Amino acid sequence: MEIVTVKEMVRLVTGKFGDRVAFQRRENDKADYRRITYNQTASLVKNVAAALINLGVKSGDRVALISESRPEWGISYLAIASVGGIVVPLDAMLTKEDLSPILNDSGARSIILSQKYSGFTAGTKVDGSKIFMEGLEQLPTINSWPE
C-alpha cells in the first residue's frame, strides 16, 4: 500500500504496531524508561496537530521546532507535517542571540519548543504562538484527525 500523506503513514504504522513501543527515553539517570507506544504517538500527533490549527497554522505555514533530544521532537515534527506545515528545525546548540534573528527571518508562524528554550523567543514573531513539549500530554484529546 502506498503512503500518500504523513497522516496516512501514522494511521498505517499505528494499525500495524499499535501497542508496541515507538519511543523510549531514559528518565532521571536511572534504569527507568518512559515508553510511548505507537497508539500513544498517534494520539499525541493528532492532539498537537489540532493545537497547531487552533493557533492558526495552515498548510504551507512554517513552524519552528527546537528542543534537546526527546520523543516529543519527533511527535511534533509529525504533527507539523500532518497539517501541511513546513518544519523549521533549529539547532539546539544555538545561543539566544543567534536564534532570535533566525526565528524572525524564517517566516515561522509558530514554534514548538521545550521549556529550556522558553526565553529564546522573547521579542520574536513567534513569541505569542508557541506550544511547549512538556505540555503535549495535557493538550485536549481529539478522536479524529483535524482538517
Side-chain angles (χ1 to χ4, degrees):
M1 185 181 301
E2 183 179 331
I3 297 172
V4 180
T5 66
V6 171
K7 284 185 211 180
E8 186 63 22
M9 178 200 63
V10 172
R11 283 187 197 123
L12 290 171
V13 171
T14 301
K16 186 172 183 175
F17 299 109
D19 289 326
R20 292 188 190 169
V21 175
F23 295 102
Q24 68 179 9
R25 179 179 179 183
R26 193 173 188 174
E27 298 286 329
N28 305 327
D29 295 331
K30 296 180 182 175
D32 298 330
Y33 285 87
R34 177 173 160 237
R35 292 175 172 83
I36 302 172
T37 66
Y38 284 90
N39 286 330
Q40 291 168 318
T41 297
S43 179
L44 287 167
V45 169
K46 286 188 278 190
N47 296 345
V48 174
L52 287 167
I53 290 169
N54 287 338
L55 286 175
V57 173
K58 298 176 188 72
S59 183
D61 285 346
R62 291 177 175 88
V63 178
L65 182 56
I66 187 168
S67 78
E68 59 281 4
S69 180
R70 58 189 303 158
E72 293 85 356
W73 195 98
I75 290 164
S76 297
Y77 187 103
L78 291 170
I80 295 166
S82 76
V83 298
I86 300 167
V87 180
V88 180
L90 300 169
D91 185 345
M93 300 302 290
L94 290 173
T95 65
K96 179 180 179 179
E97 292 74 26
D98 292 334
L99 190 62
S100 292
I102 293 171
L103 279 173
N104 284 328
D105 293 342
S106 70
R109 177 182 184 94
S110 294
I111 186 168
I112 301 176
L113 67 163
S114 64
Q115 288 286 342
K116 178 179 178 180
Y117 300 96
S118 62
F120 285 43
T121 62
T124 66
K125 295 176 183 177
V126 297
D127 194 36
S129 183
K130 53 190 166 188
I131 297 171
F132 288 104
M133 291 184 183
E134 291 81 359
L136 296 189
E137 292 181 1
Q138 286 77 44
L139 291 171
T141 301
I142 62 165
N143 295 321
S144 59
W145 284 96
E147 297 301 328

